[in-house]
Amino acid sequence: IGRHPVPCEGVQVNPFFDTKKPRSIKRLPALLAKGRSVDWFVVEYNPFGFGRWGYCPWLVSMLRHLKGSRQCRIAVMFHETQVPSRPFKLWIMRQWQNRQLRGLSRLADVIFVSTTRWESEIKEVSPKAVCHHLPVGSNLPYSRLSWEAARKNLRISSDTLVLGMFGSSHPS
């Protein structure tokens, strides 16, 4: 997704998907047909990783094609499921993200969730689904700097409330 893969011995990387062109996901079955047989296809799912505003209906149809052709089994790791239903602008976006969530959870042979919070959402859209909680590590580097030292360096008094934000100001 816009990055160059880091070489890893014994691992073949075939970049084919571009988030700016979500329809490019449709290239996957042809790519799989060219290569060695695949036992499992793992989808690392965050709706915003597959298209603008989390819109990529081609993902579900492509997985349906893979499942129908019995090319491989499908595992989905939900890092996020869908946006909240409020405010109204997010409710609109949730409509297509919920459809994708339903499709993915019903097509998956195995479902993993990064946080137990997503288990109830999966059960809501696919009651028979079995979810496995698979925690993921932080992608923030470890800092040996203590809170006290950080406050001192930044000249923040110990009685001042400090809030930190991970990521950007985007609601996702």
Side-chain angles (χ1 to χ4, degrees):
I1 305 176
R3 289 174 245 150
H4 298 287
V6 177
C8 180
E9 189 177 327
V11 176
Q12 181 181 349
V13 177
N14 296 301
F16 68 94
F17 179 66
D18 181 354
T19 56
K20 293 176 185 164
K21 299 174 186 167
R23 286 180 194 238
S24 62
I25 196 81
K26 294 167 91 177
R27 297 182 203 152
L28 181 63
L31 180 66
L32 289 175
K34 286 184 200 174
R36 294 180 282 176
S37 67
V38 176
D39 294 320
W40 283 90
F41 183 74
V42 180
V43 179
E44 298 282 343
Y45 185 72
N46 169 342
F48 296 98
F50 288 92
R52 190 172 185 192
W53 300 307
Y55 182 75
C56 185
W58 306 279
L59 174 63
V60 174
S61 63
M62 184 272 307
L63 290 175
R64 189 174 295 118
H65 171 78
L66 283 180
K67 185 113 176 174
S69 67
R70 293 191 170 97
Q71 279 185 276
C72 57
R73 295 180 73 191
I74 298 168
V76 180
M77 171 62 175
F78 287 97
H79 294 278
E80 291 185 31
T81 53
Q82 58 192 345
V83 294
S85 56
R86 290 189 181 135
F88 185 69
K89 286 181 182 180
L90 291 182
W91 179 87
I92 293 170
M93 194 182 307
R94 185 180 174 102
Q95 302 314 298
W96 62 77
Q97 288 185 7
N98 186 269
R99 191 169 298 139
Q100 289 171 185
L101 173 64
R102 287 175 190 275
L104 289 171
S105 63
R106 290 178 181 156
L107 285 168
D109 294 295
V110 176
I111 296 175
F112 299 101
V113 291
S114 60
T115 175
T116 54
R117 176 182 175 190
W118 305 140
E119 285 179 294
S120 60
E121 286 197 37
I122 299 293
K123 287 291 190 186
E124 197 174 300
V125 300
S126 188
K128 294 180 182 178
V130 177
C131 297
H132 302 281
H133 180 221
L134 184 62
V136 295
S138 172
N139 57 358
L140 294 174
Y142 175 72
S143 173
R144 295 178 191 255
L145 188 65
S146 70
W147 291 3
E148 294 81 15
R151 283 179 177 275
K152 183 178 177 183
N153 289 350
L154 296 170
R155 298 186 184 120
I156 300 171
S157 67
S158 60
D159 62 341
T160 301
L161 175 65
V162 177
L163 300 175
M165 184 175 81
F166 174 71
S168 67
S169 60
H170 191 276
S172 70

